[in-house]
Amino acid sequence: MRLVFRILVAAITVAAGLTGPAAAAASGHPRFSALVFSKTAAFRHDSIPAGVAAIRQLGARHHFRVDATEDAAAFTDANLARYDVVVWLSTTGDVLTEPQQAAFERYIRAGGGYAGIHAASDTEYDWAWYGGLVGAYFRDHPGSVNPQFQVATVKVFGRDTAATRPLPRRWQREEEWYNFRTNPRGTVRVLAEVDERTYDPRGYSVPGGSPGMGPHHPVSWCQPYDGGRAFYTAMGHKAEYYTDPLLLAHLLGGIRMAAGVAPFRCGHEDAVAAS
């Protein structure tokens, strides 16, 4: 019966002229597979369940498979090979052993995808390869001499990626705005930056407030990395943010790009042209 069903579905899709994603949707096969990884070994964001649920809903709506785990034992060659993209959702601290790290490196080098959300940059500080993959490590955020959460203006660059196309060029939103230890601009394609003139960027790590990152403060970017594809956004702290249609569209686009099912226009040349 299963064989007969598949033959019938194939006949219907051919007769209807469906190809690519449309054919995949009609056949019942997912367009791609994503593993959401949200293990924490330091600060734990209470928005993680909302983030997992939101990505599951995106998968159901846009026809891709979503598995979620906090078990680092999932990082084996055989298991990772089942996925087109691994989404690191607000992970913190040292979450993988050295053999698990090696398996993830092999996965990326084989052409796998990485999508990091929010505290994914607050993870694995002693694993330099991961720091290169995410693009920059977290330093601090407002919250000592100023409000932790502030409304600011995000400047969105380019309309030629799935992660930026749905967004306004000037996007006002509340967030816990991360400052990074280094500025990745110049090595990644910056997709969005926050305008420090529209909020108080001083961070908590220095008495009296650490300085912001200056006139070019990236918050979302992408890059080809060591044979694979990487997307990162610093946005997504609060649970309520995962009901924001614009943030969800941004995440969906970034995940699809990292999975290799949307055009991955993330070279440094693109960054220079788009900025």
Side-chain angles (χ1 to χ4, degrees), residues 156-161 169 185 189-191 265 267-275:
V156 178
F157 298 114
R159 318 296 295 176
D160 61 335
T161 76
R169 294 186 182 277
R185 179 177 289 274
R189 175 175 180 179
V190 175
L191 301 174
R265 300 185 177 100
H268 177 53
E269 295 80 7
D270 294 325
V272 172
S275 300

Side-chain angles (χ1 to χ4, degrees), residues 45-57 89 237-243 248:
H45 288 73
D46 59 13
S47 61
I48 287 175
V52 172
I55 296 170
R56 286 193 187 278
Q57 290 169 4
L89 174 62
H237 178 89
K238 288 184 179 180
E240 66 198 61
Y241 298 160
Y242 292 94
T243 62
L248 293 177

Side-chain angles (χ1 to χ4, degrees), residues 180-223:
F180 299 96
R181 296 185 178 188
T182 57
N183 194 318
R185 179 177 289 274
T187 60
V188 303
R189 175 175 180 179
V190 175
L191 301 174
E193 65 181 31
V194 62
D195 187 345
E196 291 191 353
R197 296 171 300 179
T198 63
Y199 77 109
D200 183 348
R202 291 175 297 164
Y204 64 74
S205 62
V206 173
S210 66
M213 297 187 67
H216 297 292
H217 182 155
V219 291
S220 297
W221 57 78
C222 59
Q223 62 169 327

Side-chain angles (χ1 to χ4, degrees), residues 138 140-150 175-179 199-205 210 217:
F138 166 82
D140 60 16
H141 55 68
S144 56
V145 296
N146 50 7
Q148 180 178 355
F149 302 99
Q150 301 179 51
E175 188 56 79
E176 178 190 65
W177 299 107
Y178 275 9
N179 296 313
Y199 77 109
D200 183 348
R202 291 175 297 164
Y204 64 74
S205 62
S210 66
H217 182 155

Side-chain angles (χ1 to χ4, degrees), residues 2-59:
R2 290 182 182 177
L3 179 59
V4 172
F5 175 75
R6 289 174 183 170
I7 293 173
L8 287 172
V9 168
I12 291 169
T13 56
V14 170
L18 299 177
T19 60
S27 68
H29 296 299
R31 295 169 181 171
F32 65 94
S33 298
L35 176 64
V36 180
F37 180 57
S38 54
K39 179 179 177 179
T40 56
F43 181 84
R44 184 169 181 83
H45 288 73
D46 59 13
S47 61
I48 287 175
V52 172
I55 296 170
R56 286 193 187 278
Q57 290 169 4
L58 289 174

Side-chain angles (χ1 to χ4, degrees), residues 94 101 105 109 123-137 182 223 225-226:
D94 296 331
Q101 292 174 358
E105 290 183 17
R109 288 173 183 144
T123 302
E124 294 286 357
Y125 289 95
D126 296 324
W127 182 14
W129 181 91
Y130 179 81
L133 175 71
V134 69
Y137 282 121
T182 57
Q223 62 169 327
Y225 186 80
D226 203 13

